[in-house]
Amino acid sequence: MTTLHVVNHVHWDREWYRPMEAFRARLVELVEQVCDALDDGRLPSFHLDGQTITVTDVEAVDPGLAQRVRRHARDGRLSIGPWHVLADNQLVSGENLIRNLLTARRIADGDGLATVGYCPDSFGHPADLPRILNGFGLDTALVWRGAPPQHARFRWRSPDGSEVYAVNQCYYEPDVLWEEDGIGRRVADYTAKQRQRAGDGPQLLLNGADHLAPALNRATAGLTHSTLAQFFADPAHDRQGAPLVEGELRYPGGWLTFLLPGTLSARMYLKQANAAAQTLLESWVEPYLAQTAPTAATTGLLRHAWQLLLANSPHDSICGCSVDEVHRENEVRFERVEQVGEHLLQRALQQQGYDTRLYGEPSADTLSLIVANPHARPVSGPVELDVHSAPGRHIVGLRTDDGSDVPFEAGPPVDTPLFCADLDLPPDTRPAARHRLAFVAEVGPSGRRGYQVILGDAPAAGATAPAAHPWRVEVAADASLTLTDTRTGRTLPGLARLVDEGDAGDTYNFDPLPGDQATSPTVSAVRHTASTVRQVWHIDAALDIPQGLTGDRQARSPQRVSMPIRLTATLWAGIERLDWTAAFDNTADDHRLRAHFATGPADHWSADTHFSVLHRPLSEPIGALPTERAHEAECAVAPVHTWAAAGGVGVVVAGLPEVQGLLPAQAPQIAVTVLRATGWLSRPDLRSRTTGAGPQLPTPQAQCRRPVQASVSVALDTGEGAMAVTAAEVRAPLRAWQLRFASPVPAAATGLAVAGAMVTAYKPADDGDGAVLRLLNPTAEPVTARIAGLDGQAVTECTLAEQPVVGEVDTAALQLGPYQLRSLRLR
C-alpha cells in the first residue's frame, strides 16, 4: 500500500518582496504559532525550512522562543537545517557551500539537524552537490527546479562518482490541504497524479508554502503526518532500481517549474562583490589564520565574516531578484565582510612580522614592500599598488630582497594627506606623495617576497624598449580585438566584441524583443602605451542604443543614448594571457550587454563548476518560446565559476557567472554577460515565461544605472589543468603592501607547497584542533600530488565535515582520482 507522507513545513525566504527585518518580525510570529501547536499537539511535527538561520534570527530578538525551538528539535518534533541558509548553490563557491553546512552544524549543536539534503527551491542544482552532501554524511536530496521532469526518483551522481538518492518534488501544490472543503477530493487527485509520476512508491505532500503559517485543518487528522527523514527512510523506495542522472540539474521544466536563468545576471554587481568576498576569506584570511594559531576572538571574527557572507547567499539575495531595499542591504553586508576580512589579514601579517600600517614620517629615500602569493605553487604575476613617500619624491628604482633590479612602471606623484591610527598608534596625519606602481613579481609557494622602492629628486629616465611579448593585439572599429601569436601565426579575430540587445524581461528571465537589432560600440580613439612591464591598448568607444522600451514593452524606444565605454587590453611581460576590462556608466534601461569571444571550430564548450568541469553543447541564444501558460523557454546560459573554453580559446570570468556557448552562422562564440538591466521583480507578460514568477513589483535599481566595470582574461592553453591554474591566478592574484616607514626589506619566505593538485581550502579546523587542507584534482585524469612545507605537522584524512577518515596519508604521493577532493587534518 502506498503511503502518503504529509510533512508540515514553511518555506521562508529571509528576504524577497520584503526586506529582512520586515520578514523577521513575521518569522517570530510564525515560530511562536508553530511552537504553540507543537506544544498542544495540533502539529505532530514541523520542518523549519532546512536552514538554521531561522533559529538565529529568532534568537536575536526572542532568546526564550529560540530555546523552545531547540527543545522541540531535541525531542524530534521539529527539524532544522541541514543548511545554515538555503543558498543559490550555483552562484556561490564550493567552499562557501561547505562553510554553510559547517555553520549549520555548529549552530544546531546536535539539536534536530535534518539528515536530508533539502534544496528544492534553488534555481537549478550544480553537478558537485552530491559529493558535498556525501561529505557531510547525507545520501539523499530533495530537489525541484532543474531536475529531469521525466524522473520522479533518481540516483544523482557527481563527476567524481559520489551519489545521492534524489526525489524530484515537482511543483509542490501547497493548496491541497489549505481549505477543509473538498480536501478529500484534492488529496485523491494529488495521490493519483503522484502515482502516475512515481509509481507505487511512497509519496510526499508538503503541507505549507512561502511565508505562510501551517494549515491546521481537522480534515488532515486521518493523513499520515511524517517527516522528511521518515519519508526517505520508507522501505518502499526502490533506490537501486532508480535511473541514474549525472552532472548538473538544469533541465527544462514543465508547468510552473521555472529554472529562472536570468537570475545569473540580474544585478551583476552582487555577483562580483560575492566573488571578491569569497576570495578574500578563502584565499587570504583563512590560510593566514591557519598558520598563526587563531585566538577565540579571531575565530569569532572569522565566523562572523562567514555568517555575513552566507546571509547574502540565498537565491532571492545573490540572484538579485528581490525588492531594491534588500539589495541595498546586501551591498552593506558585502562591505562588512571586507572590513572584517581585511582587519584579520592585517593582524595576521603583523603577527608574522609585516606591519602594513603607514605611520610616522613618510620616507624620502627608500620604501619597503611585501608581495604575497596565496597559491601553493610559485607564481609570476602582475602587481599594482599605491605607495606613499615624502612629498616631492619620485620612484627611480625597484629591487628585490637580494638587490636585483626589477623593471617597473610608476605614475607621477600626487600630493595627498596620509592618515593612520590604531590601538597603539595615536591618530596622525602627515603630508605625503602617492605613487601608482606596477611590476611583475615572482614569489614562491605560499610565500612572501620583499621589494625595495628607490626614491629620487626627479623621475627615472624612460625605458626605450617596451615589454617583449609573443602576442600582438589589434583593435577593430567595433572595439573587438584580434590576437595574433607571432610564434605560430595563429590569429584570433572577434575577441571581446560587445553586443547589446533589448530585454523586456524581469529579474528572473531575459526576454528578447521581436525584430530587435543587436548593437556594438564604435571606436573613437585608440592609444597604445608600452613600458618594460606591460603593453596597454586604451580604447575609447561609444555605444549608441535605445534609452529603454516603448510604453507597450513591445519594442525598444526611438529615443537613444550614447554611452561612452572605456576599454583596455593589457599584455604583461612574461605572462601569456590577455587582460580585458570595460568600464562605463549605464544610462539606458531594459537591455543586456554581453562580451562575445570568437573561438576556433568547436561542437561544445567547457567550464568549471564548484570542483569539476562540465561540457555543454553550443546553442542558439534562446530556445523556442512557449505557447502554453505557465511555461518557460529553454535558455542555455549557464553558471560558470571561473573559466570557460571552446575551440582553443579560454576566458577567465570570475565574478561574471552567466556564460553561453553560441553557435551563430559565422563561428562559435563564448558570450559573457556584463550587464542585464531590468525594472521589475517579476512580470506576467513575458514571451520567454508565460506567467509571473513572483510579485509584480517595480525594481528601478535593478536597471543598474550605476558605474559598471567588468574584466575577462583570455588564455590559449585551454587544457583543464592549465585553465584551472590561470583562473586561480586571475581570481586571487598576488597582493602587495607597503610596509611601515623605515621598515627593513624582508627576506623571502615560502610556506605550504603542493604539486600536481589545486588547494581549495587551507583553514583553521572548525573545532579549533589544527588546520584543514583540501586538495582538488581539477582534471578528468588521475593525478599524484606532492605536499611540502608542513614543518613536521601530523597529517590525517578527514571528510568535508572534518570528521576523521581511517587510513594512511602519503604526502609525498597523494593519489587523487578524476575531479577528486581530499581533505587533510594538520596538527
Side-chain angles (χ1 to χ4, degrees), residues 19 89 93 110 128 132 243 277 281 340 394 403 409 424 477 551 561 581 728 763 808:
N89 47 35
S93 69
D128 284 308
I132 293 171
L281 296 185
V340 176
H394 297 265
E409 179 184 305
D424 58 338
V561 296
T581 65
K763 61 180 287 291
E808 297 295 322

PDB file of all heavy atoms in Angstrom, residues 19 89 93 110 128 132 243 277 281 340 394 403 409 424 477 551 561 581 728 763 808:
ATOM      1  N   PRO A  19      12.060  43.445   2.932  1.00  0.00           N
ATOM      2  CA  PRO A  19      13.422  43.333   3.477  1.00  0.00           C
ATOM      3  C   PRO A  19      13.462  42.399   4.673  1.00  0.00           C
ATOM      4  O   PRO A  19      12.427  41.991   5.220  1.00  0.00           O
ATOM      5  CB  PRO A  19      13.772  44.770   3.878  1.00  0.00           C
ATOM      6  CG  PRO A  19      12.672  45.637   3.405  1.00  0.00           C
ATOM      7  CD  PRO A  19      11.504  44.778   3.082  1.00  0.00           C
ATOM      8  N   ASN A  89      22.791  27.487  -4.833  1.00  0.00           N
ATOM      9  CA  ASN A  89      24.032  26.716  -4.756  1.00  0.00           C
ATOM     10  C   ASN A  89      24.801  26.642  -6.070  1.00  0.00           C
ATOM     11  O   ASN A  89      25.775  25.906  -6.180  1.00  0.00           O
ATOM     12  CB  ASN A  89      23.763  25.304  -4.205  1.00  0.00           C
ATOM     13  CG  ASN A  89      22.591  24.627  -4.871  1.00  0.00           C
ATOM     14  OD1 ASN A  89      22.356  24.806  -6.055  1.00  0.00           O
ATOM     15  ND2 ASN A  89      21.851  23.835  -4.111  1.00  0.00           N
ATOM     16  N   SER A  93      30.612  29.619  -4.226  1.00  0.00           N
ATOM     17  CA  SER A  93      31.689  28.645  -4.424  1.00  0.00           C
ATOM     18  C   SER A  93      31.398  27.338  -3.682  1.00  0.00           C
ATOM     19  O   SER A  93      30.562  27.282  -2.769  1.00  0.00           O
ATOM     20  CB  SER A  93      33.011  29.229  -3.925  1.00  0.00           C
ATOM     21  OG  SER A  93      33.004  29.351  -2.513  1.00  0.00           O
ATOM     22  N   GLY A 110      23.722  19.724  17.567  1.00  0.00           N
ATOM     23  CA  GLY A 110      23.093  18.427  17.801  1.00  0.00           C
ATOM     24  C   GLY A 110      21.597  18.452  17.959  1.00  0.00           C
ATOM     25  O   GLY A 110      20.970  17.399  18.137  1.00  0.00           O
ATOM     26  N   ASP A 128      28.227  19.154  -8.546  1.00  0.00           N
ATOM     27  CA  ASP A 128      29.005  18.696  -7.396  1.00  0.00           C
ATOM     28  C   ASP A 128      28.204  18.625  -6.104  1.00  0.00           C
ATOM     29  O   ASP A 128      28.778  18.298  -5.053  1.00  0.00           O
ATOM     30  CB  ASP A 128      30.218  19.612  -7.185  1.00  0.00           C
ATOM     31  CG  ASP A 128      31.316  19.331  -8.190  1.00  0.00           C
ATOM     32  OD1 ASP A 128      31.705  18.165  -8.316  1.00  0.00           O
ATOM     33  OD2 ASP A 128      31.770  20.272  -8.855  1.00  0.00           O
ATOM     34  N   ILE A 132      29.237  17.085  -2.167  1.00  0.00           N
ATOM     35  CA  ILE A 132      29.244  17.946  -0.995  1.00  0.00           C
ATOM     36  C   ILE A 132      28.328  17.369   0.082  1.00  0.00           C
ATOM     37  O   ILE A 132      28.692  17.316   1.268  1.00  0.00           O
ATOM     38  CB  ILE A 132      28.837  19.383  -1.383  1.00  0.00           C
ATOM     39  CG1 ILE A 132      29.914  20.008  -2.278  1.00  0.00           C
ATOM     40  CG2 ILE A 132      28.615  20.238  -0.141  1.00  0.00           C
ATOM     41  CD1 ILE A 132      29.523  21.338  -2.889  1.00  0.00           C
ATOM     42  N   PRO A 243      16.625   5.325 -11.902  1.00  0.00           N
ATOM     43  CA  PRO A 243      17.508   5.675 -13.022  1.00  0.00           C
ATOM     44  C   PRO A 243      18.658   6.561 -12.566  1.00  0.00           C
ATOM     45  O   PRO A 243      18.560   7.277 -11.563  1.00  0.00           O
ATOM     46  CB  PRO A 243      16.582   6.425 -13.989  1.00  0.00           C
ATOM     47  CG  PRO A 243      15.463   6.915 -13.136  1.00  0.00           C
ATOM     48  CD  PRO A 243      15.279   5.906 -12.049  1.00  0.00           C
ATOM     49  N   ALA A 277      34.439  38.778  -2.056  1.00  0.00           N
ATOM     50  CA  ALA A 277      34.390  38.446  -0.629  1.00  0.00           C
ATOM     51  C   ALA A 277      34.811  37.004  -0.388  1.00  0.00           C
ATOM     52  O   ALA A 277      35.538  36.701   0.568  1.00  0.00           O
ATOM     53  CB  ALA A 277      32.984  38.700  -0.089  1.00  0.00           C
ATOM     54  N   LEU A 281      38.161  35.711   1.921  1.00  0.00           N
ATOM     55  CA  LEU A 281      38.117  34.784   3.056  1.00  0.00           C
ATOM     56  C   LEU A 281      38.827  33.468   2.740  1.00  0.00           C
ATOM     57  O   LEU A 281      39.594  32.950   3.559  1.00  0.00           O
ATOM     58  CB  LEU A 281      36.670  34.515   3.457  1.00  0.00           C
ATOM     59  CG  LEU A 281      35.869  35.715   3.977  1.00  0.00           C
ATOM     60  CD1 LEU A 281      34.481  35.265   4.444  1.00  0.00           C
ATOM     61  CD2 LEU A 281      36.591  36.435   5.097  1.00  0.00           C
ATOM     62  N   VAL A 340      35.870  43.190   7.968  1.00  0.00           N
ATOM     63  CA  VAL A 340      36.343  42.183   8.920  1.00  0.00           C
ATOM     64  C   VAL A 340      37.510  41.399   8.325  1.00  0.00           C
ATOM     65  O   VAL A 340      38.533  41.167   8.985  1.00  0.00           O
ATOM     66  CB  VAL A 340      35.203  41.235   9.330  1.00  0.00           C
ATOM     67  CG1 VAL A 340      35.721  40.124  10.249  1.00  0.00           C
ATOM     68  CG2 VAL A 340      34.088  42.002  10.030  1.00  0.00           C
ATOM     69  N   HIS A 394      60.267  61.005  -6.227  1.00  0.00           N
ATOM     70  CA  HIS A 394      59.865  60.220  -7.393  1.00  0.00           C
ATOM     71  C   HIS A 394      60.442  58.819  -7.275  1.00  0.00           C
ATOM     72  O   HIS A 394      61.512  58.618  -6.690  1.00  0.00           O
ATOM     73  CB  HIS A 394      60.372  60.873  -8.680  1.00  0.00           C
ATOM     74  CG  HIS A 394      59.806  62.232  -8.931  1.00  0.00           C
ATOM     75  ND1 HIS A 394      58.713  62.455  -9.720  1.00  0.00           N
ATOM     76  CD2 HIS A 394      60.187  63.460  -8.452  1.00  0.00           C
ATOM     77  CE1 HIS A 394      58.444  63.748  -9.744  1.00  0.00           C
ATOM     78  NE2 HIS A 394      59.320  64.382  -8.985  1.00  0.00           N
ATOM     79  N   GLY A 403      68.676  42.433  -3.883  1.00  0.00           N
ATOM     80  CA  GLY A 403      69.336  43.546  -4.541  1.00  0.00           C
ATOM     81  C   GLY A 403      69.239  43.564  -6.045  1.00  0.00           C
ATOM     82  O   GLY A 403      69.794  44.466  -6.687  1.00  0.00           O
ATOM     83  N   GLU A 409      56.897  50.232 -13.566  1.00  0.00           N
ATOM     84  CA  GLU A 409      56.203  51.363 -14.173  1.00  0.00           C
ATOM     85  C   GLU A 409      55.643  52.201 -13.034  1.00  0.00           C
ATOM     86  O   GLU A 409      54.979  51.666 -12.141  1.00  0.00           O
ATOM     87  CB  GLU A 409      55.078  50.858 -15.078  1.00  0.00           C
ATOM     88  CG  GLU A 409      54.263  51.934 -15.756  1.00  0.00           C
ATOM     89  CD  GLU A 409      53.109  51.324 -16.556  1.00  0.00           C
ATOM     90  OE1 GLU A 409      53.379  50.449 -17.419  1.00  0.00           O
ATOM     91  OE2 GLU A 409      51.947  51.687 -16.289  1.00  0.00           O
ATOM     92  N   ASP A 424      47.479  51.097  19.199  1.00  0.00           N
ATOM     93  CA  ASP A 424      48.769  51.504  19.749  1.00  0.00           C
ATOM     94  C   ASP A 424      49.387  52.685  19.003  1.00  0.00           C
ATOM     95  O   ASP A 424      50.554  53.008  19.206  1.00  0.00           O
ATOM     96  CB  ASP A 424      49.744  50.326  19.739  1.00  0.00           C
ATOM     97  CG  ASP A 424      49.953  49.771  18.341  1.00  0.00           C
ATOM     98  OD1 ASP A 424      49.085  49.982  17.477  1.00  0.00           O
ATOM     99  OD2 ASP A 424      50.981  49.111  18.112  1.00  0.00           O
ATOM    100  N   ALA A 477      37.167  48.416 -35.556  1.00  0.00           N
ATOM    101  CA  ALA A 477      36.297  49.587 -35.450  1.00  0.00           C
ATOM    102  C   ALA A 477      35.153  49.378 -34.469  1.00  0.00           C
ATOM    103  O   ALA A 477      34.604  50.353 -33.935  1.00  0.00           O
ATOM    104  CB  ALA A 477      35.740  49.943 -36.831  1.00  0.00           C
ATOM    105  N   GLY A 551       6.191  52.207 -24.514  1.00  0.00           N
ATOM    106  CA  GLY A 551       5.221  52.075 -23.428  1.00  0.00           C
ATOM    107  C   GLY A 551       4.543  50.724 -23.373  1.00  0.00           C
ATOM    108  O   GLY A 551       4.202  50.250 -22.284  1.00  0.00           O
ATOM    109  N   VAL A 561      20.478  56.870 -26.460  1.00  0.00           N
ATOM    110  CA  VAL A 561      21.541  57.464 -25.654  1.00  0.00           C
ATOM    111  C   VAL A 561      22.870  56.984 -26.209  1.00  0.00           C
ATOM    112  O   VAL A 561      22.981  55.872 -26.734  1.00  0.00           O
ATOM    113  CB  VAL A 561      21.421  57.086 -24.159  1.00  0.00           C
ATOM    114  CG1 VAL A 561      20.139  57.637 -23.562  1.00  0.00           C
ATOM    115  CG2 VAL A 561      21.493  55.574 -23.960  1.00  0.00           C
ATOM    116  N   THR A 581      39.336  44.805 -19.908  1.00  0.00           N
ATOM    117  CA  THR A 581      38.392  45.425 -18.984  1.00  0.00           C
ATOM    118  C   THR A 581      37.489  46.379 -19.746  1.00  0.00           C
ATOM    119  O   THR A 581      37.884  46.969 -20.764  1.00  0.00           O
ATOM    120  CB  THR A 581      39.101  46.220 -17.868  1.00  0.00           C
ATOM    121  OG1 THR A 581      39.798  47.318 -18.444  1.00  0.00           O
ATOM    122  CG2 THR A 581      40.066  45.353 -17.089  1.00  0.00           C
ATOM    123  N   ALA A 728      42.773  30.499 -11.323  1.00  0.00           N
ATOM    124  CA  ALA A 728      43.074  30.735  -9.905  1.00  0.00           C
ATOM    125  C   ALA A 728      43.945  31.971  -9.739  1.00  0.00           C
ATOM    126  O   ALA A 728      43.750  32.773  -8.812  1.00  0.00           O
ATOM    127  CB  ALA A 728      43.762  29.506  -9.309  1.00  0.00           C
ATOM    128  N   LYS A 763      42.490  26.179   6.080  1.00  0.00           N
ATOM    129  CA  LYS A 763      41.696  26.919   7.044  1.00  0.00           C
ATOM    130  C   LYS A 763      41.887  26.384   8.448  1.00  0.00           C
ATOM    131  O   LYS A 763      42.258  25.216   8.626  1.00  0.00           O
ATOM    132  CB  LYS A 763      40.203  26.820   6.676  1.00  0.00           C
ATOM    133  CG  LYS A 763      39.664  25.379   6.686  1.00  0.00           C
ATOM    134  CD  LYS A 763      38.189  25.303   6.322  1.00  0.00           C
ATOM    135  CE  LYS A 763      37.289  25.804   7.427  1.00  0.00           C
ATOM    136  NZ  LYS A 763      37.277  24.917   8.616  1.00  0.00           N
ATOM    137  N   GLU A 808      45.984   5.672   5.878  1.00  0.00           N
ATOM    138  CA  GLU A 808      47.266   6.364   5.851  1.00  0.00           C
ATOM    139  C   GLU A 808      47.247   7.480   4.809  1.00  0.00           C
ATOM    140  O   GLU A 808      46.553   7.391   3.799  1.00  0.00           O
ATOM    141  CB  GLU A 808      48.394   5.373   5.524  1.00  0.00           C
ATOM    142  CG  GLU A 808      48.580   4.277   6.565  1.00  0.00           C
ATOM    143  CD  GLU A 808      49.032   4.824   7.904  1.00  0.00           C
ATOM    144  OE1 GLU A 808      49.853   5.776   7.913  1.00  0.00           O
ATOM    145  OE2 GLU A 808      48.573   4.308   8.935  1.00  0.00           O
TER     146      GLU A 808
END
